Amino acid sequence: MTLLKLAAACLSLLMTATGAVAQFKICNDTDLRQSVAIAYKDGDAWVSEGWWAIDPNECKNAAGGDLKNRYYYYRATVPGGTFVGEDYWFCTQSEPFTIRGEKDCEARGYRREVFSEVDTGQAKSFTLTLIAADSQRDPEPEPEPKQEEVARPTQPSSPQPGSLGEPFTVTAVFQGCDRIDGNLSCRFYANGWRWFAYDGGGSVLDRLNYLDGLSPGTLLTVSGDVLNYGDISAEVAVYTAAERRSETEVDNTTLGIQGKWRHSDGRTMWEIVGAEIYEYYDGEGVTESFFYIADQCDAAGGRPGPFLVRVIPEAYQDPDCYFLLGWDAEFLQLAYAGSVNGQTDDFWKVWD
């Protein structure tokens, strides 16, 4: 049995087929409340449903009657946790839902999120139990014959890490994808670098298509192989990519300062999109740069941060470091680390 994990809660699965009333039951044998969604085949269409709020030591029925499918899919989350799925993707939303179809989730106003697979064997009834990692037991399937087995979504195979270059796994800020001659080129920012992945460059195409559906500024966990390094950029092959929650003050700041900001001089404006800054002066574009939030900066002479570090790729110079003095929904205050008079750069949010 493949161990399916909820990484943040250190969970594993106990899958047990039962001989009781026919149903697909989910039990929570953890000390955390779980929000659970399932997905399954209904005729020619995939259906996803949720959420079942299941308290510790509680069980709930997600489907009644004899099981019609061998394969079911589930997603279980806890506040602040990250669900580690198996590259099966279905539509969800924050509110309770029943959604038909697994395609075009974002275009239809839903989220596209990863699920894990449950193989019920030949059982008519099945219990999926979320348990602590130290309480694993083997499944006890009920050998009931099935009338028909339905097709399940294809899980694309990925190259082994290190097969094309240097393996990496990073937490990143997604920036966007472009189509060049019909081929996808996607970029994201991590560790102060620009990362590029291309269709035909070793990446799993399903992951590039997934990235193409995201908005700039989406927080990601990405892994793959580095193919080539530049001065401030890297060309990579992406094997896995999944959204992640805002988990740190750096994440909160990066997301919180998105948008348009007008300088106190009345003529300078920064538009922050994802990890990129577009600077305008009197309405004319001046520079395009990218930024990251850091605790240290060489230009600060050992003074503590946090800093907004701004990199102008075409300038061929050291990054600009700004003390991040404060920000909220309306006001952003910076101070250039090289300033000798303590002058601040004050910005006010521009609402379209």
Side-chain angles (χ1 to χ4, degrees):
M1 177 182 69
T2 300
L3 179 62
L4 312 178
K5 303 182 292 298
L6 288 172
C10 297
L11 302 180
S12 65
L13 287 178
L14 168 67
M15 299 185 291
T16 305
T18 69
V21 177
Q23 60 193 359
F24 185 83
K25 184 166 65 174
I26 303 172
C27 294
N28 181 8
D29 194 22
T30 78
D31 58 358
L32 297 170
R33 190 184 197 193
Q34 305 288 330
S35 294
V36 183
I38 66 170
Y40 55 87
K41 193 81 170 187
D42 181 23
D44 294 331
W46 288 99
V47 175
S48 51
E49 292 185 297
W51 300 91
W52 284 269
I54 308 178
D55 290 324
N57 302 313
E58 183 183 26
C59 297
K60 290 191 176 180
N61 293 332
D66 289 353
L67 300 185
K68 298 179 181 179
N69 301 319
R70 174 176 177 177
Y71 298 101
Y72 286 77
Y73 303 84
Y74 84 100
R75 177 178 177 85
T77 63
V78 297
T82 300
F83 179 72
V84 180
E86 292 188 299
D87 216 6
Y88 301 103
W89 298 82
F90 297 96
C91 302
T92 72
Q93 64 181 22
S94 299
E95 302 300 321
F97 65 91
T98 298
I99 302 172
R100 293 186 67 85
E102 83 286 13
K103 304 292 186 183
D104 302 321
C105 299
E106 293 89 350
R108 294 190 288 153
Y110 304 124
R111 293 196 300 260
R112 183 173 181 262
E113 296 191 293
V114 68
F115 283 58
S116 282
E117 183 182 77
V118 176
D119 185 351
T120 67
Q122 303 299 322
K124 290 184 178 179
S125 295
F126 200 87
T127 298
L128 167 66
T129 304
L130 305 174
I131 65 172
D134 59 358
S135 302
Q136 301 173 39
R137 295 192 296 270
D138 291 331
E140 301 173 0
E142 179 182 311
E144 295 283 350
K146 283 194 60 63
Q147 295 181 351
E148 183 179 356
E149 181 177 326
V150 299
R152 52 183 175 147
T154 301
Q155 180 178 9
S157 59
S158 298
Q160 290 296 315
S163 60
L164 297 179
E166 179 184 337
F168 74 90
T169 298
V170 294
T171 55
V173 179
F174 175 69
Q175 194 61 43
C177 295
D178 300 303
R179 288 193 178 272
I180 303 173
D181 295 329
N183 296 320
L184 274 177
S185 170
C186 299
R187 70 187 185 278
F188 54 92
Y189 291 90
N191 301 336
W193 285 55
R194 291 191 299 189
W195 304 66
F196 294 93
Y198 305 96
D199 182 5
S203 295
V204 175
L205 182 57
D206 175 72
R207 295 299 82 207
L208 293 186
N209 287 330
Y210 163 69
L211 292 176
D212 191 34
L214 301 179
S215 300
T218 300
L219 302 178
L220 298 172
T221 300
V222 187
S223 65
D225 286 343
V226 177
L227 307 180
N228 294 293
Y229 283 107
D231 51 354
I232 54 173
S233 63
E235 180 183 349
V236 300
V238 170
Y239 303 156
T240 67
E243 295 178 60
R244 60 183 178 88
R245 290 183 174 91
S246 177
E247 299 173 344
T248 66
E249 191 59 34
V250 169
D251 290 338
N252 294 338
T253 301
T254 300
L255 297 181
I257 63 175
Q258 298 290 304
K260 296 179 180 179
W261 300 89
R262 188 172 299 281
H263 194 274
S264 57
D265 65 9
R267 308 181 74 177
T268 302
M269 186 174 73
W270 282 9
E271 183 177 9
I272 300 177
V273 181
E276 296 182 347
I277 300 176
Y278 302 92
E279 182 176 354
Y280 300 88
Y281 190 79
D282 286 343
E284 297 292 331
V286 178
T287 60
E288 295 183 8
S289 58
F290 68 87
F291 77 95
Y292 56 93
I293 307 299
D295 292 327
Q296 298 179 343
C297 176
D298 292 340
R303 288 174 290 175
F307 299 94
L308 185 150
V309 183
R310 184 184 180 204
V311 181
I312 304 175
E314 291 76 18
Y316 301 103
Q317 63 186 26
D318 292 335
D320 292 331
C321 293
Y322 296 86
F323 289 98
L324 185 56
L325 302 180
W327 66 272
D328 58 26
E330 300 286 343
F331 183 66
L332 171 64
Q333 187 175 55
L334 306 172
Y336 183 59
S339 175
V340 296
N341 57 10
Q343 182 178 351
T344 63
D345 288 295
D346 299 334
F347 293 83
W348 279 266
K349 190 67 170 287
V350 176
W351 302 98
D352 292 328

